[in-house]
Amino acid sequence: MQRMPVNPWDWSQSLGYHQAEIVSGAQRQLTVAGQTSVDATGAPQHADDMRAQITLALDNLEAVLTGAGMTLADVTRLGVYATDVDAALQNFDLMGMRFGPHGVKPPMTLLGVTRLALPGLMFEIEAVAQQ
């Protein structure tokens, strides 16, 4: 699989994402449902702690990718939902810490929402990955 970033402007790269990517040569695509801060039984974790919720949501995303034989390096699109966008952005260094070592900056959208599916959840991340 080859990825070619498309960035008519370069401001988004300093925030950790490309405006777009052309992906060619991919054989498999994985669409990952929104991952949140829940344990293996689906019980919400880390109430009122955005940083811990982002960390566990990313752990859960990586677990799903691993189950499909993929890594964060294969992610080509992210959708991020937060009940407090400012708090999420204050902790977005976690995204860079996870994706940076893989050398990828998948296009993403961050949306503020009034609530997520389960009470207490503040952060959700969905992804598309390709190999």
Side-chain angles (χ1 to χ4, degrees), residues 36-38 42-48 53 83 114-123:
T36 59
S37 178
V38 296
Q45 304 295 303
H46 310 298
D48 301 321
Q53 286 204 18
T83 59
T114 56
R115 67 163 281 186
L116 295 170
L118 300 174
L121 293 177
M122 301 183 295
F123 184 87

Side-chain angles (χ1 to χ4, degrees), residues 105-125:
K105 296 180 180 180
M108 80 170 76
T109 299
L110 169 60
L111 294 174
V113 297
T114 56
R115 67 163 281 186
L116 295 170
L118 300 174
L121 293 177
M122 301 183 295
F123 184 87
E124 185 164 344
I125 186 167

Side-chain angles (χ1 to χ4, degrees), residues 5-75:
V6 177
N7 290 300
W9 320 276
D10 62 0
W11 60 264
S12 65
Q13 293 178 67
S14 66
L15 297 174
Y17 70 96
H18 293 298
Q19 293 291 317
E21 286 185 335
I22 298 169
V23 177
S24 58
Q27 304 262 332
R28 300 185 321 139
Q29 179 172 302
L30 175 70
T31 303
V32 182
Q35 299 300 305
T36 59
S37 178
V38 296
D39 65 15
T41 68
Q45 304 295 303
H46 310 298
D48 301 321
D49 187 341
M50 180 65 80
R51 191 164 188 85
Q53 286 204 18
I54 293 172
T55 298
L56 184 51
L58 289 167
D59 289 347
N60 290 340
L61 172 59
E62 286 195 88
V64 173
L65 291 166
T66 298
M70 296 181 169
T71 71
L72 291 174
D74 299 310
V75 173

